[in-house]
Amino acid sequence: MVITAITQQVRNPDRVSIYADAAFRFSLTLDQLLDSKLKVGVELSEQEVSNFTRLSNEGKLRMRVLNWLLMRPHSERELRTYLKQKTRLVAYKDTSSEFCEKLVDEAKQKKLIDDEAFASWWVGRSSRANRSRTMLKAELLSKGVEHETI
């Protein structure tokens, strides 16, 4: 397979579409494109196309998770549940559990998920709704926050 075109995506200008033999094969971020050193005329094997497709799906999932995490605070269990739901989709079905664990670890390191901060946010948000302490504890436990953290 020979790469016949590389075009910037209209809806997501940070990604490019890669065409081989005049047919769309996969998309990559600009960083992934630079790292891979792909250009028009380069020949790819089926295995390389498969690897780039996996890389593409992982990049899309990473951006989807990041956008979801930035909407509001989340607990670690919520993130794991979200990843489990997304990896059931056809587009992400080949995503490895190791990659999902890597995403969880990255989110922890970057403080995008922190059960203690999530619990504080949840209590502050819920206090306006006049919820009892018992109800708040039950809600936090259902969100995966440890009893000690609560």
Side-chain angles (χ1 to χ4, degrees):
M1 249 179 249
V2 177
I3 295 177
T4 53
I6 299 174
T7 61
Q8 187 175 25
Q9 293 185 348
V10 175
R11 289 188 183 178
N12 189 350
D14 294 333
R15 292 187 73 81
V16 293
S17 297
I18 311 294
Y19 296 84
D21 297 337
F24 173 79
R25 298 295 176 191
F26 53 89
S27 65
L28 297 173
T29 64
L30 295 174
D31 290 336
Q32 289 171 329
L33 178 66
L34 291 174
D35 289 344
S36 66
K37 298 179 182 166
L38 292 178
K39 59 184 177 181
V40 174
V42 170
E43 191 159 332
L44 298 175
S45 68
E46 285 295 329
Q47 181 63 37
E48 289 173 316
V49 170
S50 177
N51 288 341
F52 282 120
T53 302
R54 181 188 49 76
L55 185 64
S56 172
N57 290 338
E58 288 176 355
K60 289 176 194 174
L61 182 58
R62 175 179 268 119
M63 287 309 300
R64 185 174 277 224
V65 166
L66 180 61
N67 288 333
W68 181 78
L69 286 172
L70 293 175
M71 281 194 272
R72 70 162 177 87
H74 293 278
S75 68
E76 183 177 337
R77 184 194 288 166
E78 284 182 312
L79 175 57
R80 290 181 188 281
T81 302
Y82 180 80
L83 285 168
K84 193 177 291 184
Q85 290 171 345
K86 292 303 169 196
T87 54
R88 287 185 186 141
L89 297 175
V90 173
Y92 306 117
K93 71 175 167 46
D94 295 331
T95 305
S96 68
S97 58
E98 292 84 23
F99 180 72
C100 291
E101 281 303 312
K102 183 178 174 184
L103 287 177
V104 171
D105 290 341
E106 285 177 13
K108 281 183 189 177
Q109 287 175 352
K110 295 176 181 175
K111 301 285 186 206
L112 294 172
I113 56 170
D114 178 358
D115 283 354
E116 198 169 307
F118 170 73
S120 296
W121 174 81
W122 190 263
V123 169
R125 159 189 179 278
S126 300
S127 66
R128 294 186 290 270
N130 249 353
R131 290 191 172 107
S132 69
R133 291 174 68 95
T134 306
M135 182 176 259
L136 287 173
K137 284 181 183 179
E139 288 174 346
L140 288 169
L141 285 171
S142 74
K143 298 284 187 187
V145 179
E146 295 291 324
H147 196 73
E148 298 79 36
T149 304
I150 297 172

